Amino acid sequence: MKYALFNSCSLRASGKDYYQSLLRLFEIVGIETEELKNWICCGSTIAHNASVMLADTLPLKNLAEVQKQGSDQIIVPCTACYNRFKVAQYEDEGDSRLKREIEKIIDHKFEKPVSVLHPLEILSTDENLSKLKSKVRRDLSHLTVASYYGCLLVRPHKETGFRDDPEYPMSMDRILNAVGIKTTDWSHKVDCCGGSLSLTRPDVVLKLTTKIIDDACACGATAISVPCSFCQLNLDVRQDDLNRLGGNYHVPIFYFSELLSLALGVPESELMLNKHFVEGEKLLVKV
Amino acid sequence: MTQTADPREFNLIPGHISEFASSIKALHGVDANMCFQCRKCSSGCPLTEFMDMTPVQVIHAVRLGLKDEVLNTNTYWLCVACGTCTARCPQETGLLKVMDALANIAIREGIQPKEPDIAAFYKSGLFIIKNFGMMYETGVAGLLSLKTGNLGRDAALGIRMLKKGKLEVFPHFQNSREMKRLFKKVAKKERELAQS
């Protein structure tokens, strides 16, 4: 069955590279998708500060569109959107008064819930793992990657229900291992990078991202793999800042989908690796 | 010897459940009185060193009914909603939602935000999604610079991102009429609920 695909705000701007590599990956693995058409912003980091009701209405409106488009499953690659969709569903289910009010506002009744999925959840099924294994075209075994999951996918676990361990997730590691990329054990897998404070309190963000990058390096990682466009940008661009302050940081931050696509034989020219601040191409070449 | 300030005194009624905690429970469904002060929330929070009150202090203050004290901290503005507090709380207190509730109340009551830039960022973002139907990062950065007068800081990151093609120069409209309609309907419903 075809999945609906939420090609949302950030995937059209700062996360273009993420979206591009995902599409190539889905094509190779044979995951059929159809873009959600009548979508709106889900309000992610912004709406819940101002109004809890608005914060739940916007994602549920999108989920109503999924059903109108004839699907009951949607892939949500942006982890901020993913988190917001899941939390809204959870709160809606737990509060019948809220549910009634929101259904009136969006003019749609949910007979059954839409299943909201992150690409990591789909790719890490046994079936897809063996598919990935069988399609490897390029040897990337010289890389040691720290898989960084960030916060929004895994927490609060009761609400997001992400199909993995919330304190020490392994799905991204398993996927990367399946295509022959080594991953490392490390302590900051699910720590926060400071996401929404990026513009307003760069001092805070710099401190949080430095801790993450330092720990990855200390554990032997030569690159970091992320499932989120905010994490990618934050970890990537802050190294530039650190180097301006006299640091020496050159850890490429790849989307997991880019590493997978490369391993499955997608040439670098078809991905948007040049959108990254820290250059990663040199690392990919096996010496 | 370092000098410590005299502890401040508050008028507390022993055994009394604060009205503030009750109103947060009624409106947002989170029960601050479940907290038994184990401090797991604060030991996991990545931002405590920047906060006026740690999360465990916030929830205690809510229970004590210290509304002005809590609303005048920077804590709930700095909260990045990473969810560590809520995920690890053995009492399922829902601290994340307490933080949202505090921001909601502060905005409604016109409390001067302790982190004006962060508040301005959320306000600008909300304005953009309401009018365009989707995020327009360049627009938010622009609005924010105007509001905070901090052009240099935001422009530096903006220019770097534009150079990398990571920002859109022009905005797109995405179902914006529908978005405005939803904003209006939610606001109306909230007014009704507040009055009832």
Side-chain angles (χ1 to χ4, degrees), chain A residues 82-151:
Chain A
Y82 173 87
N83 181 286
R84 216 38 252 177
F85 276 63
K86 286 291 188 81
V87 171
Q89 277 185 321
Y90 179 86
E91 289 177 353
D92 200 50
E93 279 309 311
D95 185 342
S96 52
R97 189 182 69 164
L98 184 74
K99 188 177 165 116
R100 240 187 351 264
E101 299 299 351
I102 292 183
E103 286 189 338
K104 258 191 267 169
I105 290 174
I106 63 175
D107 210 4
H108 180 84
K109 244 186 150 45
F110 288 99
E111 303 296 348
K112 53 177 179 173
V114 178
S115 115
V116 176
L117 295 158
H118 189 270
L120 283 182
E121 293 177 306
I122 297 173
L123 291 164
S124 60
T125 60
D126 290 342
E127 191 199 338
N128 281 333
L129 281 180
S130 50
K131 245 189 215 170
L132 286 172
K133 241 178 232 169
S134 69
K135 289 180 188 291
V136 177
R137 296 282 175 276
R138 180 173 175 182
D139 181 14
L140 290 175
S141 59
H142 60 293
L143 299 178
T144 305
V145 172
S147 350
Y148 174 63
Y149 297 74
C151 48

Side-chain angles (χ1 to χ4, degrees), chain B residues 174-190:
Chain B
Q174 176 62 34
N175 242 338
S176 54
R177 204 180 283 168
E178 177 68 32
M179 185 64 116
K180 275 187 213 138
R181 198 179 66 88
L182 289 176
F183 264 74
K184 237 183 232 164
K185 279 187 143 180
V186 169
K188 190 175 161 225
K189 189 79 243 163
E190 282 189 323

Side-chain angles (χ1 to χ4, degrees), chain B:
Chain B
M1 207 179 93
T2 50
Q3 224 172 358
T4 49
D6 286 337
R8 297 186 52 187
E9 286 191 18
F10 301 101
N11 287 325
L12 303 175
I13 311 162
H16 177 74
I17 294 170
S18 83
E19 249 176 62
F20 189 37
S22 306
S23 71
I24 287 182
K25 188 179 175 189
L27 272 173
H28 300 275
V30 273
D31 192 352
N33 285 306
M34 290 299 288
C35 170
F36 54 39
Q37 296 279 299
C38 73
R39 293 157 198 246
K40 272 181 105 173
C41 52
S42 303
S43 43
C45 175
L47 292 148
T48 44
E49 63 183 294
F50 304 99
M51 288 171 167
D52 295 339
M53 266 190 199
T54 62
V56 69
Q57 288 173 325
V58 164
I59 203 148
H60 193 47
V62 167
R63 296 183 64 195
L64 295 174
L66 304 175
K67 186 175 170 183
D68 291 343
E69 298 290 321
V70 179
L71 290 180
N72 284 304
T73 62
N74 68 356
T75 305
Y76 58 95
W77 288 117
L78 273 183
C79 169
V80 283
C82 77
T84 314
C85 54
T86 305
R88 293 181 183 168
C89 175
Q91 289 289 84
E92 302 191 352
T93 311
L95 198 43
L96 193 51
K97 280 184 85 181
V98 173
M99 295 296 170
D100 280 350
L102 293 172
N104 285 199
I105 294 166
I107 292 171
R108 201 171 56 235
E109 300 192 0
I111 308 266
Q112 198 65 39
K114 192 80 183 287
E115 292 279 341
D117 287 11
I118 297 176
F121 169 73
Y122 289 134
K123 209 173 166 188
S124 313
L126 212 56
F127 175 84
I128 293 280
I129 63 170
K130 179 182 173 184
N131 289 291
F132 294 104
M134 69 179 280
M135 201 37 168
Y136 169 44
E137 290 149 330
T138 321
V140 173
L143 273 180
L144 187 68
S145 308
L146 289 177
K147 275 188 186 158
T148 61
N150 204 338
L151 254 167
R153 176 193 68 191
D154 306 332
L157 179 62
I159 289 167
R160 276 190 287 166
M161 284 180 65
L162 275 171
K163 272 192 193 156
K164 280 278 171 196
K166 283 219 156 215
L167 278 184
E168 294 293 299
V169 182
F170 300 107
H172 296 281
F173 289 90
Q174 176 62 34
N175 242 338
S176 54
R177 204 180 283 168
E178 177 68 32
M179 185 64 116
K180 275 187 213 138
R181 198 179 66 88
L182 289 176
F183 264 74
K184 237 183 232 164
K185 279 187 143 180
V186 169
K188 190 175 161 225
K189 189 79 243 163
E190 282 189 323
R191 274 198 304 276
E192 280 171 29
L193 290 175
Q195 280 159 8
S196 64

